[in-house]
mmCIF file of all heavy atoms in Angstrom:
data_model
loop_
_atom_site.group_PDB
_atom_site.id
_atom_site.type_symbol
_atom_site.label_atom_id
_atom_site.label_comp_id
_atom_site.label_asym_id
_atom_site.label_seq_id
_atom_site.Cartn_x
_atom_site.Cartn_y
_atom_site.Cartn_z
ATOM 1 N N GLY A 208 -5.440 -11.132 84.284
ATOM 2 C CA GLY A 208 -4.313 -11.646 83.509
ATOM 3 C C GLY A 208 -2.994 -11.501 84.243
ATOM 4 O O GLY A 208 -2.157 -12.409 84.227
ATOM 5 N N VAL A 209 -2.816 -10.358 84.917
ATOM 6 C CA VAL A 209 -1.587 -10.152 85.683
ATOM 7 C C VAL A 209 -1.489 -11.198 86.786
ATOM 8 O O VAL A 209 -0.462 -11.859 86.961
ATOM 9 C CB VAL A 209 -1.558 -8.716 86.280
ATOM 10 C CG1 VAL A 209 -0.406 -8.557 87.254
ATOM 11 C CG2 VAL A 209 -1.442 -7.679 85.177
ATOM 12 N N GLY A 210 -2.605 -11.385 87.523
ATOM 13 C CA GLY A 210 -2.607 -12.355 88.621
ATOM 14 C C GLY A 210 -2.386 -13.770 88.117
ATOM 15 O O GLY A 210 -1.531 -14.499 88.631
ATOM 16 N N LEU A 211 -3.137 -14.142 87.087
ATOM 17 C CA LEU A 211 -3.059 -15.500 86.555
ATOM 18 C C LEU A 211 -1.658 -15.816 86.047
ATOM 19 O O LEU A 211 -1.086 -16.867 86.344
ATOM 20 C CB LEU A 211 -4.079 -15.651 85.418
ATOM 21 C CG LEU A 211 -4.216 -17.034 84.785
ATOM 22 C CD1 LEU A 211 -4.710 -18.029 85.818
ATOM 23 C CD2 LEU A 211 -5.187 -16.991 83.612
ATOM 24 N N SER A 212 -1.070 -14.881 85.293
ATOM 25 C CA SER A 212 0.238 -15.167 84.711
ATOM 26 C C SER A 212 1.316 -15.252 85.796
ATOM 27 O O SER A 212 2.178 -16.125 85.737
ATOM 28 C CB SER A 212 0.602 -14.114 83.662
ATOM 29 O OG SER A 212 0.639 -12.844 84.243
ATOM 30 N N SER A 213 1.256 -14.374 86.796
ATOM 31 C CA SER A 213 2.262 -14.495 87.859
ATOM 32 C C SER A 213 2.063 -15.794 88.615
ATOM 33 O O SER A 213 3.024 -16.431 89.036
ATOM 34 C CB SER A 213 2.186 -13.360 88.878
ATOM 35 O OG SER A 213 1.664 -12.220 88.343
ATOM 36 N N PHE A 214 0.796 -16.178 88.786
ATOM 37 C CA PHE A 214 0.517 -17.399 89.543
ATOM 38 C C PHE A 214 1.093 -18.631 88.852
ATOM 39 O O PHE A 214 1.829 -19.401 89.453
ATOM 40 C CB PHE A 214 -0.994 -17.557 89.731
ATOM 41 C CG PHE A 214 -1.383 -18.765 90.526
ATOM 42 C CD1 PHE A 214 -1.185 -18.791 91.896
ATOM 43 C CD2 PHE A 214 -1.932 -19.872 89.908
ATOM 44 C CE1 PHE A 214 -1.533 -19.902 92.638
ATOM 45 C CE2 PHE A 214 -2.289 -20.995 90.646
ATOM 46 C CZ PHE A 214 -2.085 -21.006 92.022
ATOM 47 N N ILE A 215 0.779 -18.789 87.573
ATOM 48 C CA ILE A 215 1.258 -20.017 86.926
ATOM 49 C C ILE A 215 2.716 -19.910 86.519
ATOM 50 O O ILE A 215 3.362 -20.916 86.283
ATOM 51 C CB ILE A 215 0.394 -20.418 85.700
ATOM 52 C CG1 ILE A 215 0.400 -19.307 84.669
ATOM 53 C CG2 ILE A 215 -1.000 -20.763 86.097
ATOM 54 C CD1 ILE A 215 -0.397 -19.697 83.459
ATOM 55 N N GLY A 216 3.268 -18.697 86.483
ATOM 56 C CA GLY A 216 4.647 -18.561 86.022
ATOM 57 C C GLY A 216 5.677 -18.625 87.136
ATOM 58 O O GLY A 216 6.886 -18.616 86.861
ATOM 59 N N THR A 217 5.208 -18.688 88.395
ATOM 60 C CA THR A 217 6.152 -18.598 89.520
ATOM 61 C C THR A 217 7.341 -19.543 89.378
ATOM 62 O O THR A 217 8.488 -19.150 89.600
ATOM 63 C CB THR A 217 5.417 -18.905 90.841
ATOM 64 O OG1 THR A 217 4.285 -18.065 90.921
ATOM 65 C CG2 THR A 217 6.317 -18.629 92.030
ATOM 66 N N ALA A 218 7.048 -20.785 88.992
ATOM 67 C CA ALA A 218 8.118 -21.786 88.958
ATOM 68 C C ALA A 218 9.063 -21.573 87.777
ATOM 69 O O ALA A 218 10.107 -22.216 87.685
ATOM 70 C CB ALA A 218 7.513 -23.183 88.901
ATOM 71 N N TRP A 219 8.700 -20.694 86.869
ATOM 72 C CA TRP A 219 9.508 -20.537 85.655
ATOM 73 C C TRP A 219 10.327 -19.245 85.634
ATOM 74 O O TRP A 219 11.011 -18.962 84.678
ATOM 75 C CB TRP A 219 8.612 -20.605 84.414
ATOM 76 C CG TRP A 219 8.344 -22.003 83.988
ATOM 77 C CD1 TRP A 219 9.089 -22.750 83.118
ATOM 78 C CD2 TRP A 219 7.284 -22.862 84.420
ATOM 79 N NE1 TRP A 219 8.553 -24.003 82.980
ATOM 80 C CE2 TRP A 219 7.444 -24.106 83.769
ATOM 81 C CE3 TRP A 219 6.221 -22.702 85.301
ATOM 82 C CZ2 TRP A 219 6.585 -25.174 83.970
ATOM 83 C CZ3 TRP A 219 5.362 -23.763 85.497
ATOM 84 C CH2 TRP A 219 5.539 -24.980 84.840
ATOM 85 N N VAL A 220 10.210 -18.477 86.696
ATOM 86 C CA VAL A 220 10.937 -17.210 86.732
ATOM 87 C C VAL A 220 12.443 -17.477 86.672
ATOM 88 O O VAL A 220 12.970 -18.301 87.409
ATOM 89 C CB VAL A 220 10.600 -16.410 88.014
ATOM 90 C CG1 VAL A 220 11.493 -15.183 88.132
ATOM 91 C CG2 VAL A 220 9.143 -16.002 88.009
ATOM 92 N N GLY A 221 13.106 -16.806 85.739
ATOM 93 C CA GLY A 221 14.564 -16.888 85.684
ATOM 94 C C GLY A 221 15.124 -18.124 85.001
ATOM 95 O O GLY A 221 16.337 -18.314 84.952
ATOM 96 N N LYS A 222 14.244 -18.996 84.469
ATOM 97 C CA LYS A 222 14.762 -20.169 83.749
ATOM 98 C C LYS A 222 15.309 -19.732 82.390
ATOM 99 O O LYS A 222 14.733 -18.862 81.740
ATOM 100 C CB LYS A 222 13.636 -21.185 83.553
ATOM 101 C CG LYS A 222 13.141 -21.790 84.851
ATOM 102 C CD LYS A 222 13.451 -23.273 84.907
ATOM 103 C CE LYS A 222 13.287 -23.825 86.310
ATOM 104 N NZ LYS A 222 12.040 -24.530 86.530
ATOM 105 N N PRO A 223 16.408 -20.317 81.961
ATOM 106 C CA PRO A 223 16.993 -19.907 80.678
ATOM 107 C C PRO A 223 16.340 -20.634 79.501
ATOM 108 O O PRO A 223 15.888 -21.773 79.630
ATOM 109 C CB PRO A 223 18.447 -20.347 80.808
ATOM 110 C CG PRO A 223 18.399 -21.526 81.731
ATOM 111 C CD PRO A 223 17.193 -21.375 82.620
ATOM 112 N N LEU A 224 16.272 -19.968 78.384
ATOM 113 C CA LEU A 224 15.691 -20.572 77.183
ATOM 114 C C LEU A 224 16.391 -19.967 75.970
ATOM 115 O O LEU A 224 16.691 -18.780 75.950
ATOM 116 C CB LEU A 224 14.190 -20.262 77.124
ATOM 117 C CG LEU A 224 13.421 -20.799 75.922
ATOM 118 C CD1 LEU A 224 13.095 -22.269 76.141
ATOM 119 C CD2 LEU A 224 12.141 -20.022 75.696
ATOM 120 N N VAL A 225 16.666 -20.817 74.989
ATOM 121 C CA VAL A 225 17.223 -20.275 73.749
ATOM 122 C C VAL A 225 16.050 -19.851 72.873
ATOM 123 O O VAL A 225 15.266 -20.676 72.443
ATOM 124 C CB VAL A 225 18.082 -21.327 73.025
ATOM 125 C CG1 VAL A 225 18.632 -20.738 71.739
ATOM 126 C CG2 VAL A 225 19.209 -21.786 73.929
ATOM 127 N N GLY A 226 15.910 -18.570 72.661
ATOM 128 C CA GLY A 226 14.760 -18.065 71.933
ATOM 129 C C GLY A 226 14.999 -18.036 70.431
ATOM 130 O O GLY A 226 15.957 -18.627 69.914
#
Side-chain angles (χ1 to χ4, degrees):
Chain A
V209 171
L211 184 63
S212 60
S213 333
F214 181 74
I215 59 178
T217 307
W219 276 270
V220 173
K222 294 246 166 101
L224 179 80
V225 179

